[in-house]
Amino acid sequence: MSKLTNRYALHKLYPFLKKINALQEKMASLSDDDLQKQMHIFKEEVHSGTPLDALLVPVYACVREAAKRILGMFPYDEQVLAAIALHQGHIIEMKTGEGKTLVATMPLALNALSGKSTILVTSNDYLAKRDATEMGRLYHFLGFTVGIGVPEDASQQLSAEEKKIIYSRDIVYTTHGVLAFDYLLENLVTRKEERYLRPFSYIVIDEVDSVLLDAATMPLVISGAPRVQSNLYESADYFVSSLRKDIDYKLEDREVFLTEKGLDAAERFFGVENLYQREYFEILRHIMLSLRAHTLFLKDRDYVVGDHKVSLLDQRSGRIFESTKLKSGLHQAIEAKEHCPITDDARAMASITYQAFFRLFEKMSGMSGAVYNERQELKKVYNLDTIVIPTHKKIARIDAPDLYFGHKEAQMEAAAAFILKRHATGQPLLIVTSSIDDSYAYSRFLLAKGIPHNVLNAYNVAKEAEIIKEAGQKNAVTVATSVAGRGTDIRLGAGVQELGGLCVVGIGRQMNLRSEKQARGRAGRQGDPGYSQFFISIEDDVVDEYGSTKLSKYLKKNQITSSRIIRLINQAQINAETLERTSRREIMEYDRSLSAQRTLIYNMRNRLLDAPSLSIEDVKGLVDNCIDNFVSSSHQDVSRFVLDHLSYHYDGIFDTIKDPDELSKQLKDFAYRLLRQKQDFMQGEFNGYLKTTLLSAIDHLWVEQVDYLEQLRYAIALRQYAQRNIIYMFHQEAYDAFTVMMDKMKEQAVQNMMLGMVISNEADSFRILLP
């Protein structure tokens, strides 16, 4: 969307704004009771069939007036424009401090009138609880109930009953991670009474770039029983530690592989002749895992280590991915590298990507302070247009041109001089670093100069809101990674405007332009003065990893002013962004198979859970299919088949039957007779028995399938070096595996039904023991 296209998109919103403004006096003249009655009337109109679009103007005018009375905030025109765009299913870019929290109340209230699920997700627990509490007063005045999907105490787990109450509310505030995990968990329940989510209808995604883009590279996985632990992690780590870059292994496009010399060294170390033989697959897999852990994952960039534990790190936000681990042994390889206790590598029971999850909603919209540059990807993946909303007041912040340096020492000296000069005036400073190491380096520098300050990074993110709230006070100095308190306004203290407002000092090139725009946007909110200055070095992580090799010749230079060299440095960030997009696209491509299979399985489960009753007639097809498959097979061992599939008690009466049709008929009659005996014994509980046995078969085989596909994604990457289309191969193998799984699922269902033991308890209830 060009500037011209954006102007046209905005132009289409203004007629709605004009009509909303025309109702301003009318709404202001209403008493509180009459204003509340208006919302009740709107709700009745929707239930009578009036579309939500037809009520946008009066509802927004009503919510606007209510916000003025209850919150003391009257949404200005730009906020109303953004709210209109959100209801229409767009993504909006609003600069930091423009009041996105208030904007969301209008589309949420309008869509909640439908009685369908209306949800806002944001990037962390604090923001979800804060916004729901602050805006909850407005919603309650308007007659809506509000649910908060995250627990008050982060260490506690919400029960299914508590979740059912929360998700039954008109409007729910939660985080993207909690909501997606709740979706996966709900599809593991065994009784329909245990479900808690309503069908997905409308969702607003706050910090949409963080959720749909940055978090999209980390699929959500629910883990179950651990696998048998391997003892190869330490051996592989010891071996990989001795390898030499460009001699024993090579790095290309964020992938790593052994050279011929490295392969020879591995075969000597592990005492094998050909590492690529099938029987040595596990050794090769552990070597590759360790090699990836050592070369592609850096401490304090991709993960942090605390209390002898490895925790994954979101590079863009600086936040820790709570309760999340890398899969298929990669997390354990990093633990071996860091000499931490090696945790269990658990099976994947359920998995979903954010790309697949958010497409489950009927209508989706989002908002962020920096998302416009990614509009093409968002349009392609989610079919969402991005609209840039003008600021309410002209931006007064001064963004100074970036300063470039050849090495870190020159970069730090220049930044330090700048910081000291600005701090001497009393101007508050927010120092945004591109890594945790740099945040500590500048903290040590400030300590040496006797300058009190706060540090905000992944190791103390729990204090994020408190630290950021104080960052705008006179003489305040805050050192932060790019986490920088997203969603929390930095308000200027007394006398700070006269000093030029908040000064943002950027240290190092960030992974993407969005992060830098977010950092600059911390200053100059709502027309406040502000200043930003970035200091860039050839030795910055992004430039070092993604930049041209030609830059190495300029490492000894102090300040760099050559436009040609600057273009080379800036190209590194463009390269990093391109690879990020490629990574997200590949994840989406891989997920197509799993997503299609997941939809089929979850629909199957839901139909089974919602079925009013099941009888022998409903499962005859499964029994017939199982028996027909056996009879048509070339290797017939009737005794073995009966004992494995139909009954533990068999006297051999079918062994002598030679005619296939007669054998099939006799086995089916035998199976139906056994089922009728169970039905007579259980009476009214037989329906529950059938559902339990069928669900168990579905879940058991689906868990195996999910875990297999998770393993396959990593294992198949080894074939990339044979110049094969690995994504096509993945889909082919995934489809073949699904076909096999469905056959096994039907067979398992019959085994469960026929061989399941029903034990009667004293209280006239039954306990089911499955084979």
Side-chain angles (χ1 to χ4, degrees), residues 211-247:
V211 177
L212 295 188
L213 299 176
D214 296 339
T217 56
M218 184 65 66
L220 294 113
V221 179
I222 290 180
S223 300
R227 295 187 185 85
V228 176
Q229 186 71 306
S230 169
N231 60 359
L232 286 170
Y233 289 112
E234 290 92 343
S235 301
D237 179 75
Y238 183 79
F239 165 70
V240 166
S241 298
S242 67
L243 297 182
R244 300 157 295 175
K245 184 178 179 181
D246 294 329
I247 298 175

Side-chain angles (χ1 to χ4, degrees), residues 311-367:
S311 299
L312 299 182
L313 194 61
D314 182 343
Q315 294 177 26
R316 269 72 60 174
S317 71
R319 294 188 176 97
I320 288 174
F321 283 117
E322 298 292 348
S323 305
T324 302
K325 293 167 67 175
L326 293 166
K327 295 299 161 189
S328 304
L330 190 51
H331 203 91
Q332 287 69 30
I334 295 175
E335 288 170 335
K337 166 190 170 184
E338 297 295 341
H339 306 294
C340 292
I342 296 179
T343 58
D344 288 330
D345 181 15
R347 288 183 179 275
M349 295 179 63
S351 173
I352 196 167
T353 63
Y354 283 116
Q355 291 103 320
F357 175 69
F358 285 110
R359 287 200 297 267
L360 297 172
F361 285 82
E362 291 180 19
K363 185 169 67 173
M364 168 175 47
S365 60
M367 47 191 185

Side-chain angles (χ1 to χ4, degrees), residues 101-145:
T101 303
L102 185 61
V103 166
T105 61
M106 288 173 270
L108 289 173
L110 175 60
N111 284 271
L113 292 173
S114 67
K116 298 179 180 179
S117 70
T118 304
I119 300 172
L120 182 143
V121 294
T122 190
S123 54
N124 63 63
D125 292 9
Y126 167 77
L127 292 177
K129 287 183 279 193
R130 184 202 69 180
D131 293 352
T133 302
E134 290 181 357
M135 299 299 112
R137 294 187 294 127
L138 171 61
Y139 296 130
H140 292 144
F141 174 82
L142 296 170
F144 296 113
T145 56

Side-chain angles (χ1 to χ4, degrees), residues 349-506:
M349 295 179 63
S351 173
I352 196 167
T353 63
Y354 283 116
Q355 291 103 320
F357 175 69
F358 285 110
R359 287 200 297 267
L360 297 172
F361 285 82
E362 291 180 19
K363 185 169 67 173
M364 168 175 47
S365 60
M367 47 191 185
S368 172
V371 71
Y372 182 70
N373 286 2
E374 309 296 341
R375 62 195 179 278
Q376 292 179 342
E377 181 178 350
L378 292 167
K379 177 66 175 178
K380 185 174 182 180
V381 176
Y382 303 99
N383 196 28
L384 297 174
D385 289 318
T386 303
I387 301 177
V388 180
I389 305 297
T391 56
H392 183 52
K393 297 179 181 178
K394 186 178 179 180
I395 296 176
R397 184 185 67 244
I398 298 171
D399 293 326
D402 296 344
L403 298 176
Y404 296 83
F405 302 88
H407 51 91
K408 270 194 176 298
E409 290 78 10
Q411 176 194 38
M412 187 165 184
E413 287 174 9
F418 179 86
I419 290 167
L420 291 175
K421 182 178 178 181
R422 290 275 172 168
H423 179 66
T425 69
Q427 184 177 19
L429 292 159
L430 175 64
I431 304 168
V432 181
T433 67
S434 57
S435 70
I436 292 176
D437 281 346
D438 282 351
S439 72
Y440 285 131
Y442 278 87
S443 176
R444 289 192 294 270
F445 164 76
L446 294 171
L447 285 173
K449 296 295 181 180
I451 298 174
H453 61 281
N454 286 309
V455 177
L456 174 58
N457 58 35
Y459 289 103
N460 63 350
V461 75
K463 300 176 181 177
E464 175 181 347
E466 290 75 14
I467 291 174
I468 285 298
K469 279 181 179 178
E470 299 301 316
Q473 303 303 309
K474 192 173 182 180
N475 291 311
V477 178
T478 308
V479 181
T481 50
S482 57
V483 64
R486 287 185 66 165
T488 305
D489 280 346
I490 299 179
R491 299 182 182 275
L492 302 184
V496 171
Q497 286 211 11
E498 293 75 12
L499 296 173
L502 178 69
C503 178
V504 173
V505 183

Side-chain angles (χ1 to χ4, degrees), residues 238-341:
Y238 183 79
F239 165 70
V240 166
S241 298
S242 67
L243 297 182
R244 300 157 295 175
K245 184 178 179 181
D246 294 329
I247 298 175
D248 299 314
Y249 68 88
K250 286 192 175 183
L251 278 165
E252 287 183 8
D253 295 334
R254 291 287 292 170
E255 282 298 334
V256 61
F257 57 92
L258 291 171
T259 63
E260 286 295 329
K261 288 186 177 180
L263 185 62
D264 290 342
E267 289 170 347
R268 289 196 304 273
F269 183 88
F270 287 96
V272 301
E273 290 185 3
N274 184 354
L275 198 57
Y276 286 105
Q277 287 182 347
R278 182 178 293 272
E279 58 263 40
Y280 302 129
F281 172 77
E282 280 300 302
I283 295 176
L284 176 61
R285 187 173 79 89
H286 280 77
I287 291 173
M288 296 307 297
L289 287 171
S290 184
L291 199 52
R292 287 171 62 85
H294 275 268
T295 58
L296 303 182
F297 291 84
L298 300 181
K299 183 180 177 183
D300 289 339
R301 188 196 71 175
D302 302 291
Y303 62 90
V304 292
V305 179
D307 297 326
H308 305 291
K309 173 185 171 185
V310 172
S311 299
L312 299 182
L313 194 61
D314 182 343
Q315 294 177 26
R316 269 72 60 174
S317 71
R319 294 188 176 97
I320 288 174
F321 283 117
E322 298 292 348
S323 305
T324 302
K325 293 167 67 175
L326 293 166
K327 295 299 161 189
S328 304
L330 190 51
H331 203 91
Q332 287 69 30
I334 295 175
E335 288 170 335
K337 166 190 170 184
E338 297 295 341
H339 306 294
C340 292

Side-chain angles (χ1 to χ4, degrees), residues 201-214:
S201 179
Y202 178 62
I203 189 165
V204 177
I205 305 173
D206 189 18
E207 306 297 353
V208 66
D209 59 312
S210 176
V211 177
L212 295 188
L213 299 176
D214 296 339

Side-chain angles (χ1 to χ4, degrees), residues 608 611-619 679 686-687 690-691 694:
L608 186 57
S613 63
L614 292 177
S615 66
I616 294 175
E617 291 299 317
D618 295 315
V619 298
Q679 185 179 35
F686 187 64
N687 171 57
L690 288 180
K691 284 191 176 184
L694 293 175

